[in-house]
Amino acid sequence: MKILVLNCGSSSIKYALYDMDTKTVMTSGGAERVGLDGAFVKVKLANGEKKTVMHDIPEHTEGVKFIFSLLVDPEIGVIKDLKEINAVGHRMVHGGEKFNKSVLLTDEVLKVFEECTDLAPLHNPANLKGVRAVQELMPGLPQVGVFDTAFHQTMPKEAFMYALPYDLYEKYGVRRYGFHGTSHRYVSQRVCEFLGVKPEGKKIITCHIGNGASIAAVKDGKCVDTSMGLTPLEGLIMGTRSGDVDGGALTFIEKKLGLDADGLSDLLNKKSGMLGITGVSSDMREIEKAFEEGNERAKLAFDMYFYRIRKYIGAYAAAMDGCDIIVFTAGVGENQPSLREEVCKKLTYLGVEIDVEKNKNLRGKEALISTPESKVAVCVIPTDEELMIASDTMALL
């Protein structure tokens, strides 16, 4: 069985074609600068070879159409006929309270999904364009939606509610939803398989640390709290996002800088975080280089970054009355040993003890990095959201 996974952003389309008989990626890539000049598609073949193909992509339907053509291209394609594709699985960003699991995308489901657009005005319309493009190009092909927010729908009300006037929740759905749910679900399941334990009875803290970052508390295999909120802005310090900030500070900044709502959103989402603190970059590799060269603001940024992660881990250990497993995943979590060491070395009150040598050169591989004496198992588990989407899609056929 072959499943195509699509992740349509506002100006990008990522894709991966899976052979689900072997659970391997046949090809993957992404279209960038959709709707802009200089659009192109990067293609990664199964043998690891990479190619960049320039192509005008005025909108998503044309982008999906071109990706389909690449899949059957005589030189770089991996299938002979598009009919070999059994279904398409889509990453859908915000399902609000409407979706707590992956679903087949019927007209009725898509109508409900559209009702969530106010909660994710940039992402949901782009997701929908991808679905409509497939409907136009391959009518009748089964499509499945896998929602970023679905895994977090098990949070209890005391965890997801904000202390705002209650009618804001009733009228507009203002509450914590959380994101990266597909990643948190994948790694919380996979770490149990890796350690040879069952999720039941386990208290797991999953740390998805990338340019966007979030932490989740997972008890008995279900999410009970997560750091992102109504939007992906809340919680940890991220590449360009501020994370937690006093609401009063925001109204103060609005007045001082004469910002409207869009201006404040731009400042918090695109100009803050590690970029805002350092003035150097949002890329952790460049910040690490600046730190090594003695940049004081880079040092401050790392101190703040590690502190915020430790604080959330501590909060979630308290929320679950303990912690059995801590998982690091995503771009930074998987590939920056210094992050894992700095975070863990001040979690000794939980009984955390990592093997510094084992952690030192570990990048992008599954591993147990805690010592045998550690009371908490600390693991690195590379995330695989695309495989999770493909698996959910296959399960619904």
Side-chain angles (χ1 to χ4, degrees):
M1 179 176 284
K2 295 179 178 66
I3 304 290
L4 178 65
V5 173
L6 285 180
N7 178 356
C8 292
S10 57
S11 62
S12 66
I13 307 170
K14 296 178 183 177
Y15 71 94
L17 182 64
Y18 278 84
D19 181 340
M20 293 307 290
D21 295 331
T22 57
K23 291 190 176 180
T24 55
V25 179
M26 300 174 68
T27 185
S28 63
E32 298 184 28
R33 299 185 62 80
V34 175
L36 303 170
D37 292 336
F40 59 91
V41 178
K42 288 183 177 179
V43 182
K44 183 178 180 180
L45 305 179
N47 62 6
E49 184 183 355
K50 296 179 181 178
K51 289 183 178 290
T52 299
V53 184
M54 303 303 296
H55 187 79
D56 185 38
I57 307 175
E59 42 73 46
H60 286 73
T61 302
E62 176 59 33
V64 173
K65 183 178 179 180
F66 186 60
I67 288 168
F68 280 175
S69 74
L70 293 176
L71 295 176
V72 295
D73 183 88
E75 290 187 14
I76 62 175
V78 292
I79 55 176
K80 293 182 179 179
D81 194 311
L82 291 176
K83 291 179 181 177
E84 293 180 43
I85 300 173
N86 299 97
V88 177
H90 294 265
R91 180 208 178 200
M92 313 290 272
V93 170
H94 213 310
E97 293 186 322
K98 311 289 187 181
F99 303 101
N100 60 11
K101 60 183 178 181
S102 302
V103 293
L104 277 167
L105 295 174
T106 63
D107 288 340
E108 292 77 13
V109 166
L110 291 175
K111 185 178 179 181
V112 173
F113 177 67
E114 284 188 80
E115 293 171 2
C116 300
T117 296
D118 282 353
L119 296 170
L122 292 178
H123 295 92
N124 279 20
N127 300 158
L128 192 60
K129 285 178 183 177
V131 177
R132 298 299 189 200
V134 174
Q135 285 179 332
E136 181 179 328
L137 296 165
M138 296 186 71
L141 185 69
Q143 299 190 73
V144 168
V146 180
F147 301 88
D148 265 16
T149 50
F151 181 60
H152 304 305
Q153 284 297 298
T154 52
M155 286 190 289
K157 205 163 187 176
E158 64 268 25
F160 72 67
M161 285 295 294
Y162 291 122
L164 295 168
Y166 195 80
D167 62 351
L168 292 175
Y169 168 63
E170 292 181 307
K171 291 180 181 179
Y172 308 114
V174 178
R175 50 156 285 184
R176 181 184 309 283
Y177 290 100
F179 299 87
H180 298 139
T182 307
S183 176
H184 287 294
R185 178 161 61 105
Y186 174 80
V187 298
S188 62
Q189 291 175 4
R190 177 59 198 152
V191 75
C192 291
E193 295 170 1
F194 178 71
L195 295 174
V197 298
K198 292 183 178 181
E200 293 75 19
K202 290 290 179 283
K203 300 167 184 176
I204 305 172
I205 297 174
T206 50
C207 306
H208 177 108
I209 314 295
N211 197 264
S214 62
I215 295 182
V218 182
K219 188 175 183 180
D220 300 321
K222 295 181 178 180
C223 178
V224 295
D225 206 346
T226 191
S227 58
M228 284 180 167
L230 175 76
T231 75
L233 181 60
E234 190 179 2
L236 304 178
I237 295 169
M238 305 175 222
T240 62
R241 295 182 193 136
S242 64
D244 295 338
V245 179
D246 172 21
L250 303 184
T251 56
F252 177 84
I253 292 166
E254 273 186 319
K255 292 175 182 177
K256 287 292 183 184
L257 300 184
L259 298 175
D260 59 11
D262 290 339
L264 183 62
S265 176
D266 186 65
L267 181 139
L268 294 172
N269 282 287
K270 298 179 181 179
K271 298 177 181 177
S272 298
M274 296 298 276
L275 173 64
I277 301 163
T278 65
V280 172
S281 174
S282 62
D283 189 309
M284 295 298 282
R285 293 163 295 189
E286 293 180 21
I287 298 170
E288 199 161 33
K289 184 173 182 290
F291 170 74
E292 290 167 357
E293 293 171 352
N295 186 307
E296 286 299 316
R297 279 169 59 181
K299 180 183 183 303
L300 171 64
F302 275 134
D303 288 345
M304 293 169 66
Y305 191 75
F306 300 148
Y307 176 79
R308 186 75 61 86
I309 294 170
R310 284 195 297 265
K311 189 163 74 167
Y312 266 94
I313 290 173
Y316 289 164
M320 295 190 291
D321 191 22
C323 176
D324 301 304
I325 303 168
I326 295 172
V327 184
F328 289 96
T329 193
V332 181
E334 295 168 23
N335 296 294
Q336 190 171 353
S338 60
L339 165 100
R340 299 188 296 258
E341 182 177 351
E342 288 297 321
V343 168
C344 289
K345 73 181 185 182
K346 292 188 178 179
L347 298 177
T348 53
Y349 68 95
L350 288 175
V352 171
E353 184 178 319
I354 69 164
D355 185 322
V356 175
E357 287 303 311
K358 187 179 288 186
N359 176 63
K360 187 179 292 183
N361 297 310
L362 183 70
R363 288 178 171 83
K365 293 182 180 179
E366 291 187 343
L368 174 67
I369 60 170
S370 51
T371 66
E373 294 76 29
S374 182
K375 293 180 181 178
V376 178
V378 182
C379 295
V380 177
I381 302 290
T383 192
D384 199 336
E385 295 169 88
E386 289 79 13
L387 178 59
M388 192 97 259
I389 293 170
S391 299
D392 279 10
T393 301
M394 186 172 71
L396 287 167
L397 297 181

